[in-house]
Amino acid sequence: MVLVSDIYQSRSDNEAAIILRQDPVVYPGPYAKGEFTLSEHQLRSYRKNGFIQLRGLLPESETAELLREARELAAASGRRGLPEAVLEPGGEEVRSVFRVHGLSTVFDRLTRDGRLLDVARQILGSEVYIHQSRVNLKPGFAGKEFYWHSDFETWHIEDGMPRMRAVSCVVLLTENNEFNGPLMLVPGSHMHYISCIGQTPQDHYKQSLRKQEYGVPDETSLRFLVQRGGLQSAKGPAGSVLFFDCNTMHGSNSNISPFPRANLFLVYNSVDNRLDDPRGGLRPRPEFVASRAVDSGLQRL
Ligand code: 6CS
Ligand code: FE
C-alpha cells in the first residue's frame, strides 16, 4: 500500500517543517482512575509539559536490585555478543541493552506493576503493551551523548507507529545529577512535530542506536521549541520515575564524570496504536527494537 499523505511526514523532503500535533496528549478511557493513577494536578502538568517526574516512586532497596539486574544483563549480553547489546560509538562498553523485559523476569514483572502500568493506561486511555524496553548505562567517563530527538519521529518513520499514543516510562536506576548526563527535555515540545530532512538508509538502527544521524531535528526548529518552552533536566535520586510523551523533544550529554548514570526505559504503546509498515519502503526493524509480536495488552499484577 502506498500512503498518499501522511500527517506526520518526515525524511521525505529536503526541507524541515514544523507540524502541529494532531493527537490528544492524555486519552480519555476506562483507566482514568486506579490505585496509582496521577492526580488531576499531575495530569494537567503532564498535558502541558509532555512529561512528569515522580520522585521516590520506587524505594531504594528495590531500585538497588533493579540496578544489579541491569548490570548483570549488560555484562552477560555484551559477553555473548547478543544483538540486544549495543556498544558505545568507537568503544567496547555496553551503551544500551534492548528487550530487557524479554531477557529478565525482574523487568518483565515491572512492566505489569501497577505503579507504572496504572499511569501508562491512564495516559493512553486503553490497554497497553511494551513497544520497546531498554537500559541505557552511560558509564562514567565513557558514556556518550544522545543527540536531540523525538522518539515518535523514529517510531513513526522506521517502525510505522501510526499516532502519538505511546509513553516512555524511565526508572532512574542511579542518581541522575548535573554531572553524569541526565536526560534533558523541552517542556511543551510534544505539541509540535519536527519533520526532519534526509533519506533513511536500510538497517539504520545499527548505526542510530550508537549515534543518530537521520531523524535529527534542524537547529532552527530546536531553537523555536526551546525559546517557547525552555529546558528542564530530569535530575533526581534513584527510584524516581519519569513519564514522557513519545513526541517530547529530548536528549542528553555525555558522561565525563566518574559517576555512572543508568536508566531503565519501558515504552508503553496503546493496543489501538499497533505498528503498521515502516514509511518509505524501509524494512521493519527487528523485534528487539520494535515489538510487533504482541497479541494482547499487559495483565496487571
Ligand atoms: O531508535 C529508537 O527506537 C531509539 N532511539 C533513540 C535515540 N531513542 C529512543 C529509542 O530507543
Ligand atoms: Fe529517546
Side-chain angles (χ1 to χ4, degrees):
M1 187 186 69
V2 178
L3 278 182
V4 184
S5 70
D6 178 1
I7 51 166
Y8 296 128
Q9 185 177 313
S10 184
R11 308 191 208 176
S12 58
D13 207 343
N14 45 19
E15 275 192 74
I18 300 182
I19 300 169
L20 283 178
R21 182 186 183 108
Q22 309 282 321
D23 296 309
V25 179
V26 176
Y27 286 71
Y31 295 109
K33 287 259 175 306
E35 190 181 357
F36 295 105
T37 44
L38 302 175
S39 67
E40 263 316 307
H41 175 74
Q42 289 174 318
L43 209 54
R44 215 172 306 124
S45 161
Y46 178 87
R47 201 182 276 116
K48 174 164 180 274
N49 294 319
F51 58 88
I52 187 154
Q53 188 168 349
L54 309 174
R55 277 175 83 93
L57 187 67
L58 305 189
E60 240 180 78
S61 55
E62 208 178 321
T63 317
E65 155 80 2
L66 295 175
L67 178 60
R68 207 165 33 243
E69 181 76 4
R71 289 195 168 139
E72 270 173 30
L73 214 53
S77 52
R79 225 175 15 245
R80 290 165 54 199
L82 296 186
E84 281 89 342
V86 173
L87 304 183
E88 289 290 349
E92 289 302 301
E93 303 84 1
V94 175
R95 171 176 175 83
S96 308
V97 184
F98 279 75
R99 205 175 63 86
V100 289
H101 70 300
L103 297 173
S104 146
T105 52
V106 175
F107 293 130
D108 175 51
R109 275 184 71 80
L110 193 63
T111 64
R112 287 175 280 125
D113 190 304
R115 292 168 295 180
L116 312 182
L117 185 57
D118 283 0
V119 179
R121 283 173 168 175
Q122 178 189 26
I123 290 171
L124 304 178
S126 69
E127 286 201 55
V128 299
Y129 70 96
I130 297 294
H131 162 64
Q132 180 184 89
S133 74
R134 66 190 191 279
V135 171
N136 285 344
L137 289 136
K138 213 180 254 197
F141 302 117
K144 295 288 181 292
E145 77 276 7
F146 290 83
Y147 191 71
W148 294 112
H149 64 280
S150 144
D151 293 333
F152 178 75
E153 196 275 343
T154 295
W155 297 338
H156 184 64
I157 301 304
E158 298 195 26
D159 299 332
M161 181 182 282
R163 309 297 291 232
M164 297 176 182
R165 198 172 180 179
V167 60
S168 283
C169 166
V170 188
V171 180
L172 277 55
L173 300 180
T174 62
E175 184 188 30
N176 280 221
N177 55 41
E178 60 266 57
F179 309 115
N180 63 2
L183 204 65
M184 298 184 287
L185 305 113
V186 185
S189 58
H190 61 309
M191 299 309 289
H192 290 98
Y193 178 76
I194 308 302
S195 177
C196 305
I197 53 172
Q199 289 268 319
T200 322
Q202 289 288 357
D203 293 338
H204 177 230
Y205 72 93
K206 290 183 182 164
Q207 171 63 25
S208 71
L209 300 181
R210 305 178 86 181
K211 191 175 197 296
Q212 191 168 355
E213 283 166 20
Y214 298 91
V216 172
D218 64 292
E219 292 180 7
T220 307
S221 302
L222 283 169
R223 232 175 252 120
F224 164 84
L225 294 176
V226 175
Q227 262 159 16
R228 291 170 66 98
L231 285 176
Q232 263 189 53
S233 67
K235 292 189 284 189
S240 304
V241 176
L242 168 78
F243 289 91
F244 74 94
D245 178 86
C246 58
N247 190 46
T248 301
M249 189 59 71
H250 63 285
S252 65
N253 283 315
S254 69
N255 183 8
I256 61 168
S257 85
F259 318 123
R261 188 221 67 160
N263 288 342
L264 165 71
F265 288 70
L266 302 175
V267 183
Y268 292 94
N269 188 26
S270 166
V271 294
D272 299 326
N273 193 39
R274 289 169 192 284
L275 305 185
D276 255 329
D277 292 338
R279 302 291 185 257
L282 293 169
R283 271 195 295 271
R285 299 198 296 175
E287 191 65 25
F288 72 84
V289 212
S291 176
R292 293 172 182 274
V294 184
D295 43 3
S296 59
L298 291 168
Q299 290 285 320
R300 190 181 191 276
L301 287 180

PDB file of all heavy atoms in Angstrom, residues 75-96:
ATOM      1  N   ALA A  75      26.439  -7.053  31.235  1.00  0.00           N
ATOM      2  CA  ALA A  75      27.692  -7.819  31.169  1.00  0.00           C
ATOM      3  C   ALA A  75      27.464  -9.115  30.392  1.00  0.00           C
ATOM      4  O   ALA A  75      28.225  -9.452  29.480  1.00  0.00           O
ATOM      5  CB  ALA A  75      28.198  -8.113  32.576  1.00  0.00           C
ATOM      6  N   ALA A  76      26.386  -9.823  30.716  1.00  0.00           N
ATOM      7  CA  ALA A  76      26.135 -11.120  30.081  1.00  0.00           C
ATOM      8  C   ALA A  76      25.821 -10.964  28.595  1.00  0.00           C
ATOM      9  O   ALA A  76      26.359 -11.693  27.759  1.00  0.00           O
ATOM     10  CB  ALA A  76      24.996 -11.836  30.791  1.00  0.00           C
ATOM     11  N   SER A  77      24.986  -9.987  28.258  1.00  0.00           N
ATOM     12  CA  SER A  77      24.610  -9.863  26.842  1.00  0.00           C
ATOM     13  C   SER A  77      25.769  -9.305  26.016  1.00  0.00           C
ATOM     14  O   SER A  77      25.906  -9.640  24.841  1.00  0.00           O
ATOM     15  CB  SER A  77      23.338  -9.016  26.676  1.00  0.00           C
ATOM     16  OG  SER A  77      23.467  -7.792  27.332  1.00  0.00           O
ATOM     17  N   GLY A  78      26.616  -8.482  26.636  1.00  0.00           N
ATOM     18  CA  GLY A  78      27.820  -7.986  25.953  1.00  0.00           C
ATOM     19  C   GLY A  78      28.785  -9.138  25.676  1.00  0.00           C
ATOM     20  O   GLY A  78      29.307  -9.284  24.577  1.00  0.00           O
ATOM     21  N   ARG A  79      29.007  -9.947  26.699  1.00  0.00           N
ATOM     22  CA  ARG A  79      29.919 -11.098  26.574  1.00  0.00           C
ATOM     23  C   ARG A  79      29.469 -12.049  25.484  1.00  0.00           C
ATOM     24  O   ARG A  79      30.264 -12.549  24.698  1.00  0.00           O
ATOM     25  CB  ARG A  79      29.926 -11.846  27.924  1.00  0.00           C
ATOM     26  CG  ARG A  79      31.290 -12.241  28.400  1.00  0.00           C
ATOM     27  CD  ARG A  79      31.318 -12.883  29.783  1.00  0.00           C
ATOM     28  NE  ARG A  79      30.080 -13.346  30.339  1.00  0.00           N
ATOM     29  CZ  ARG A  79      29.503 -12.833  31.433  1.00  0.00           C
ATOM     30  NH1 ARG A  79      30.056 -11.815  32.056  1.00  0.00           N
ATOM     31  NH2 ARG A  79      28.370 -13.335  31.900  1.00  0.00           N
ATOM     32  N   ARG A  80      28.149 -12.280  25.443  1.00  0.00           N
ATOM     33  CA  ARG A  80      27.627 -13.240  24.462  1.00  0.00           C
ATOM     34  C   ARG A  80      27.415 -12.618  23.089  1.00  0.00           C
ATOM     35  O   ARG A  80      26.991 -13.289  22.149  1.00  0.00           O
ATOM     36  CB  ARG A  80      26.307 -13.818  24.977  1.00  0.00           C
ATOM     37  CG  ARG A  80      26.526 -14.749  26.168  1.00  0.00           C
ATOM     38  CD  ARG A  80      25.254 -15.053  26.916  1.00  0.00           C
ATOM     39  NE  ARG A  80      24.195 -15.580  26.066  1.00  0.00           N
ATOM     40  CZ  ARG A  80      22.898 -15.589  26.385  1.00  0.00           C
ATOM     41  NH1 ARG A  80      22.503 -15.073  27.522  1.00  0.00           N
ATOM     42  NH2 ARG A  80      22.012 -16.085  25.566  1.00  0.00           N
ATOM     43  N   GLY A  81      27.670 -11.320  22.986  1.00  0.00           N
ATOM     44  CA  GLY A  81      27.522 -10.635  21.692  1.00  0.00           C
ATOM     45  C   GLY A  81      26.093 -10.635  21.177  1.00  0.00           C
ATOM     46  O   GLY A  81      25.847 -10.693  19.970  1.00  0.00           O
ATOM     47  N   LEU A  82      25.119 -10.556  22.076  1.00  0.00           N
ATOM     48  CA  LEU A  82      23.714 -10.526  21.645  1.00  0.00           C
ATOM     49  C   LEU A  82      23.435  -9.254  20.856  1.00  0.00           C
ATOM     50  O   LEU A  82      23.994  -8.197  21.163  1.00  0.00           O
ATOM     51  CB  LEU A  82      22.781 -10.542  22.871  1.00  0.00           C
ATOM     52  CG  LEU A  82      22.770 -11.748  23.790  1.00  0.00           C
ATOM     53  CD1 LEU A  82      21.670 -11.605  24.835  1.00  0.00           C
ATOM     54  CD2 LEU A  82      22.588 -13.033  23.005  1.00  0.00           C
ATOM     55  N   PRO A  83      22.555  -9.334  19.854  1.00  0.00           N
ATOM     56  CA  PRO A  83      22.200  -8.113  19.118  1.00  0.00           C
ATOM     57  C   PRO A  83      21.563  -7.062  20.027  1.00  0.00           C
ATOM     58  O   PRO A  83      21.636  -5.871  19.750  1.00  0.00           O
ATOM     59  CB  PRO A  83      21.196  -8.603  18.065  1.00  0.00           C
ATOM     60  CG  PRO A  83      20.777  -9.969  18.497  1.00  0.00           C
ATOM     61  CD  PRO A  83      21.867 -10.525  19.360  1.00  0.00           C
ATOM     62  N   GLU A  84      20.938  -7.515  21.116  1.00  0.00           N
ATOM     63  CA  GLU A  84      20.302  -6.581  22.067  1.00  0.00           C
ATOM     64  C   GLU A  84      21.309  -5.658  22.743  1.00  0.00           C
ATOM     65  O   GLU A  84      20.929  -4.616  23.263  1.00  0.00           O
ATOM     66  CB  GLU A  84      19.567  -7.372  23.167  1.00  0.00           C
ATOM     67  CG  GLU A  84      18.225  -7.925  22.773  1.00  0.00           C
ATOM     68  CD  GLU A  84      18.291  -9.318  22.166  1.00  0.00           C
ATOM     69  OE1 GLU A  84      19.389  -9.738  21.735  1.00  0.00           O
ATOM     70  OE2 GLU A  84      17.241  -9.981  22.117  1.00  0.00           O
ATOM     71  N   ALA A  85      22.576  -6.090  22.789  1.00  0.00           N
ATOM     72  CA  ALA A  85      23.601  -5.271  23.447  1.00  0.00           C
ATOM     73  C   ALA A  85      24.209  -4.318  22.420  1.00  0.00           C
ATOM     74  O   ALA A  85      24.850  -4.745  21.462  1.00  0.00           O
ATOM     75  CB  ALA A  85      24.678  -6.162  24.037  1.00  0.00           C
ATOM     76  N   VAL A  86      23.988  -3.027  22.609  1.00  0.00           N
ATOM     77  CA  VAL A  86      24.504  -2.007  21.693  1.00  0.00           C
ATOM     78  C   VAL A  86      25.713  -1.352  22.347  1.00  0.00           C
ATOM     79  O   VAL A  86      25.633  -0.933  23.504  1.00  0.00           O
ATOM     80  CB  VAL A  86      23.403  -0.956  21.394  1.00  0.00           C
ATOM     81  CG1 VAL A  86      23.952   0.195  20.580  1.00  0.00           C
ATOM     82  CG2 VAL A  86      22.224  -1.610  20.693  1.00  0.00           C
ATOM     83  N   LEU A  87      26.833  -1.280  21.603  1.00  0.00           N
ATOM     84  CA  LEU A  87      28.062  -0.739  22.198  1.00  0.00           C
ATOM     85  C   LEU A  87      28.185   0.761  21.961  1.00  0.00           C
ATOM     86  O   LEU A  87      27.565   1.322  21.053  1.00  0.00           O
ATOM     87  CB  LEU A  87      29.276  -1.466  21.612  1.00  0.00           C
ATOM     88  CG  LEU A  87      29.291  -2.994  21.761  1.00  0.00           C
ATOM     89  CD1 LEU A  87      30.590  -3.584  21.213  1.00  0.00           C
ATOM     90  CD2 LEU A  87      29.083  -3.423  23.222  1.00  0.00           C
ATOM     91  N   GLU A  88      28.977   1.402  22.779  1.00  0.00           N
ATOM     92  CA  GLU A  88      29.241   2.836  22.623  1.00  0.00           C
ATOM     93  C   GLU A  88      29.911   3.080  21.262  1.00  0.00           C
ATOM     94  O   GLU A  88      30.679   2.240  20.800  1.00  0.00           O
ATOM     95  CB  GLU A  88      30.191   3.328  23.732  1.00  0.00           C
ATOM     96  CG  GLU A  88      29.570   3.395  25.113  1.00  0.00           C
ATOM     97  CD  GLU A  88      28.523   4.506  25.247  1.00  0.00           C
ATOM     98  OE1 GLU A  88      28.410   5.357  24.349  1.00  0.00           O
ATOM     99  OE2 GLU A  88      27.790   4.489  26.263  1.00  0.00           O
ATOM    100  N   PRO A  89      29.649   4.242  20.634  1.00  0.00           N
ATOM    101  CA  PRO A  89      30.320   4.523  19.355  1.00  0.00           C
ATOM    102  C   PRO A  89      31.833   4.561  19.578  1.00  0.00           C
ATOM    103  O   PRO A  89      32.303   5.261  20.467  1.00  0.00           O
ATOM    104  CB  PRO A  89      29.767   5.904  18.967  1.00  0.00           C
ATOM    105  CG  PRO A  89      29.189   6.482  20.224  1.00  0.00           C
ATOM    106  CD  PRO A  89      28.795   5.322  21.090  1.00  0.00           C
ATOM    107  N   GLY A  90      32.539   3.768  18.808  1.00  0.00           N
ATOM    108  CA  GLY A  90      34.000   3.741  18.912  1.00  0.00           C
ATOM    109  C   GLY A  90      34.506   3.153  20.218  1.00  0.00           C
ATOM    110  O   GLY A  90      35.663   3.327  20.572  1.00  0.00           O
ATOM    111  N   GLY A  91      33.664   2.461  20.951  1.00  0.00           N
ATOM    112  CA  GLY A  91      34.120   1.886  22.221  1.00  0.00           C
ATOM    113  C   GLY A  91      33.646   0.455  22.380  1.00  0.00           C
ATOM    114  O   GLY A  91      32.935  -0.074  21.535  1.00  0.00           O
ATOM    115  N   GLU A  92      34.044  -0.143  23.473  1.00  0.00           N
ATOM    116  CA  GLU A  92      33.698  -1.536  23.746  1.00  0.00           C
ATOM    117  C   GLU A  92      32.660  -1.648  24.855  1.00  0.00           C
ATOM    118  O   GLU A  92      32.132  -2.721  25.123  1.00  0.00           O
ATOM    119  CB  GLU A  92      34.965  -2.313  24.160  1.00  0.00           C
ATOM    120  CG  GLU A  92      35.941  -2.554  23.024  1.00  0.00           C
ATOM    121  CD  GLU A  92      35.306  -3.313  21.865  1.00  0.00           C
ATOM    122  OE1 GLU A  92      34.833  -4.441  22.079  1.00  0.00           O
ATOM    123  OE2 GLU A  92      35.244  -2.752  20.745  1.00  0.00           O
ATOM    124  N   GLU A  93      32.400  -0.519  25.539  1.00  0.00           N
ATOM    125  CA  GLU A  93      31.454  -0.554  26.664  1.00  0.00           C
ATOM    126  C   GLU A  93      30.042  -0.749  26.140  1.00  0.00           C
ATOM    127  O   GLU A  93      29.690  -0.258  25.069  1.00  0.00           O
ATOM    128  CB  GLU A  93      31.494   0.760  27.457  1.00  0.00           C
ATOM    129  CG  GLU A  93      32.860   1.143  27.997  1.00  0.00           C
ATOM    130  CD  GLU A  93      33.696   1.879  26.959  1.00  0.00           C
ATOM    131  OE1 GLU A  93      33.211   2.105  25.825  1.00  0.00           O
ATOM    132  OE2 GLU A  93      34.851   2.207  27.285  1.00  0.00           O
ATOM    133  N   VAL A  94      29.214  -1.447  26.921  1.00  0.00           N
ATOM    134  CA  VAL A  94      27.800  -1.601  26.540  1.00  0.00           C
ATOM    135  C   VAL A  94      27.083  -0.281  26.818  1.00  0.00           C
ATOM    136  O   VAL A  94      27.111   0.235  27.931  1.00  0.00           O
ATOM    137  CB  VAL A  94      27.139  -2.761  27.310  1.00  0.00           C
ATOM    138  CG1 VAL A  94      25.650  -2.829  26.991  1.00  0.00           C
ATOM    139  CG2 VAL A  94      27.815  -4.082  26.961  1.00  0.00           C
ATOM    140  N   ARG A  95      26.470   0.267  25.763  1.00  0.00           N
ATOM    141  CA  ARG A  95      25.743   1.545  25.857  1.00  0.00           C
ATOM    142  C   ARG A  95      24.299   1.292  26.280  1.00  0.00           C
ATOM    143  O   ARG A  95      23.781   1.940  27.176  1.00  0.00           O
ATOM    144  CB  ARG A  95      25.794   2.214  24.476  1.00  0.00           C
ATOM    145  CG  ARG A  95      24.946   3.452  24.259  1.00  0.00           C
ATOM    146  CD  ARG A  95      25.246   3.967  22.849  1.00  0.00           C
ATOM    147  NE  ARG A  95      24.447   5.082  22.386  1.00  0.00           N
ATOM    148  CZ  ARG A  95      24.678   6.363  22.660  1.00  0.00           C
ATOM    149  NH1 ARG A  95      25.650   6.695  23.517  1.00  0.00           N
ATOM    150  NH2 ARG A  95      23.964   7.318  22.142  1.00  0.00           N
ATOM    151  N   SER A  96      23.667   0.333  25.599  1.00  0.00           N
ATOM    152  CA  SER A  96      22.268   0.001  25.876  1.00  0.00           C
ATOM    153  C   SER A  96      22.067  -1.505  25.763  1.00  0.00           C
ATOM    154  O   SER A  96      22.756  -2.174  24.992  1.00  0.00           O
ATOM    155  CB  SER A  96      21.330   0.637  24.836  1.00  0.00           C
ATOM    156  OG  SER A  96      21.554   2.008  24.704  1.00  0.00           O
TER     157      SER A  96
END
